[in-house]
Amino acid sequence: MERYLLQFKQHVVPALGHDAYKGSHGGKIAIVGGSRLYSGAPHYAAVSAARAGADLVHAFTSTQCAPVLKSYSPDVIVHDAWDESKEITNLSVDTNKMWTTWFGRFDALVVGPGLGESDHGLVFWKELIDAAHDHRNQYPVVYDADALKYFWKRASVRIAPALERKQLKHPTVSGGCKSESEEEEVWKPVFAWNIATPNKMELFRLIQADQRLTEREDAESAKKRCRVVKIDEVDLHCEEFREEVVGQALKRFAPMHFLLKGETDWLFLNHVKDSSRESCEFIALDVGAGAPKRCGGQGDILAGILATFLGWAFTKSWENHLLRPSVHCSDEAYERCRELFISACASACLVTRASVRSAFSEHGRGLQASDVLHHISKTFAKEFDTP
């Protein structure tokens, strides 16, 4: 794991400079989340993204949540994006305009923190993804918290059409420029940059969703599979369980990758079929312990930090010509993207755990997510900034 962390420090972390401008090195991150009931989650995700090094952070939330979210911090740009009081079939959102005006300029997104029981935010996001076909897509998206219910409720269909591996117009990287000839080029994604971050309960629900669908598709095959009926049966330390149960369930969502949160964080990579890699891969992100106290909001903090780091890694892939328009995606380019992706995930887990551990040393049992936010910048500087 040390080599991935070193790689992130030496090759991914953008250098600071007096010639920088907003978005030129730290990137721009968007958060889609929040609801009438939950306003803290998108705040934690947004502020943690900024504390990790993002230049600008936008939060797209409901009419009911926006005023509260604005009152938390003047540093986050808050957008009133949908109204929970309206019928879900009548959100009245011009998603095409929303994409061209805002979403086309971001470097990474987080979807899910604080969406709650309402499906309004998920419908808003789905319509945005559909609109993306006419513009750009394929930069990193982190699906967290309430966005994950989209998986087990709709496990028989893809999370979004944009996850299909197809030729699209290439993205514009922050601080970069493109020629007139490049404007019309299309590019074939070498590596999928979307990731979901389920905790143990959410992973259990994903496994159950896979079991139900397997029974529906092939009853005989379902009988031969290990059936999981209790959350206590979910054991990622057991190699057989990981491969035979978790791996089989998460393959259904390829090419989506998964960061499985727990005592040890596990990265599950759903490799695309035309790569030389196996169809899936488990990697233990052993980056140290967090804190013995668990409080709400820690997952949102990880999501924000992860989005910032993945945005940097994705930009580095573009700068290294790994995402240039190409007829054939080489194994070398695929492996390089894979390594950058792993380095960003491992580093996000490290910063989150070390920040939580540092906050716990001050607050003990009284630890809250808001306490962790104040330790992110110092932790990052200690781990990754060159003296």
Side-chain angles (χ1 to χ4, degrees):
M1 196 49 54
E2 287 76 10
R3 75 181 182 91
Y4 290 116
L5 299 175
L6 183 61
Q7 183 182 56
F8 184 78
K9 179 178 180 178
Q10 295 181 339
H11 302 294
V12 177
V13 176
L16 298 174
H18 293 287
D19 60 341
Y21 54 89
K22 290 180 290 187
S24 65
H25 69 282
K28 302 174 183 178
I29 307 299
I31 313 295
V32 176
S35 60
R36 187 195 309 268
L37 183 60
Y38 301 109
S39 59
H43 168 70
Y44 293 139
V47 174
S48 62
R51 292 292 187 186
D55 291 342
L56 291 173
V57 182
H58 294 246
F60 294 80
T61 188
S62 72
T63 301
Q64 291 72 21
C65 180
V68 181
L69 199 53
K70 287 180 180 180
S71 72
Y72 287 158
S73 172
D75 301 312
V76 180
I77 304 166
V78 181
H79 302 257
D80 181 342
W82 66 86
D83 190 341
E84 291 180 76
S85 66
K86 292 184 177 180
E87 291 291 332
I88 200 165
T89 55
N90 186 32
L91 289 182
S92 301
V93 178
D94 187 345
T95 49
N96 237 312
K97 183 179 180 181
M98 183 72 77
W99 190 274
T100 54
T101 305
W102 292 111
F103 281 81
R105 63 178 67 181
F106 296 125
D107 297 283
L109 314 179
V110 180
V111 184
L115 286 180
E117 295 303 314
S118 170
D119 281 338
H120 288 71
L122 288 176
V123 171
F124 168 79
W125 173 246
K126 185 181 181 301
E127 291 180 358
L128 274 175
I129 285 289
D130 292 340
H133 281 297
D134 298 325
H135 307 290
R136 83 166 200 178
N137 197 36
Q138 298 294 337
Y139 51 59
V141 180
V142 178
Y143 292 90
D144 182 58
D146 295 312
L148 293 169
K149 69 183 180 183
Y150 198 86
F151 286 66
W152 55 75
K153 284 185 176 181
R154 300 164 177 83
S156 59
V157 296
R158 290 190 180 276
I159 180 72
L163 296 184
E164 297 284 356
R165 195 165 181 268
K166 59 180 69 176
Q167 291 189 345
L168 299 169
K169 290 181 181 179
H170 70 76
T172 305
V173 174
S174 296
C177 59
K178 53 186 178 182
S179 66
E180 292 182 5
S181 61
E182 286 182 317
E183 191 72 45
E184 299 303 321
E185 289 179 322
V186 294
W187 62 289
K188 187 178 180 182
V190 174
F191 183 89
W193 288 82
N194 300 284
I195 188 168
T197 58
N199 57 28
K200 188 173 182 178
M201 175 58 77
E202 291 158 345
L203 175 59
F204 173 62
R205 290 172 178 164
L206 288 171
I207 294 171
Q208 286 189 313
D210 173 65
Q211 289 176 169
R212 291 193 299 270
L213 289 167
T214 302
E215 290 172 357
R216 192 183 311 163
E217 296 163 355
D218 188 348
E220 287 302 316
S221 175
K223 290 178 182 178
K224 299 175 183 177
R225 297 266 297 272
C226 174
R227 185 163 182 81
V228 181
V229 296
K230 296 187 298 183
I231 188 173
D232 293 339
E233 296 173 346
V234 178
D235 182 9
L236 291 175
H237 292 288
C238 174
E239 183 177 357
E240 183 178 359
F241 185 86
R242 283 200 313 270
E243 299 294 337
E244 298 301 324
V245 179
V246 180
Q248 290 299 320
L250 300 186
K251 280 181 182 180
R252 186 177 293 276
F253 304 99
M256 176 74 67
H257 307 298
F258 290 84
L259 176 54
L260 310 175
K261 299 178 291 190
E263 183 179 352
T264 298
D265 296 326
W266 287 86
L267 183 60
F268 177 84
L269 298 180
N270 253 324
H271 294 298
V272 295
K273 293 180 180 178
D274 54 347
S275 74
S276 61
R277 282 269 166 185
E278 295 295 329
S279 59
C280 65
E281 176 185 16
F282 280 99
I283 301 172
L285 301 181
D286 190 4
V287 292
K293 166 67 186 292
R294 189 75 173 91
C295 62
Q298 291 183 45
D300 305 309
I301 290 173
L302 171 61
I305 296 172
L306 180 59
T308 297
F309 289 1
L310 285 176
W312 294 350
F314 184 82
T315 299
K316 187 61 63 175
S317 296
W318 180 263
E319 292 174 351
N320 290 342
H321 305 282
L322 302 177
L323 302 177
R324 293 298 186 189
S326 174
V327 176
H328 175 67
C329 299
S330 69
D331 285 339
E332 181 181 355
Y334 188 92
E335 284 299 306
R336 182 65 177 135
C337 285
R338 169 188 170 275
E339 295 223 339
L340 290 171
F341 187 87
I342 296 172
S343 73
C345 292
S347 300
C349 290
L350 171 65
V351 171
T352 303
R353 285 173 175 266
S355 298
V356 170
R357 188 167 61 245
S358 180
F360 178 78
S361 68
E362 290 185 12
H363 301 278
R365 290 180 181 272
L367 174 71
Q368 296 296 302
S370 54
D371 302 320
V372 179
L373 296 176
H374 301 294
H375 291 264
I376 294 173
S377 297
K378 292 180 180 178
T379 300
F380 180 91
K382 177 182 177 181
E383 299 291 343
F384 297 113
D385 272 337
T386 303

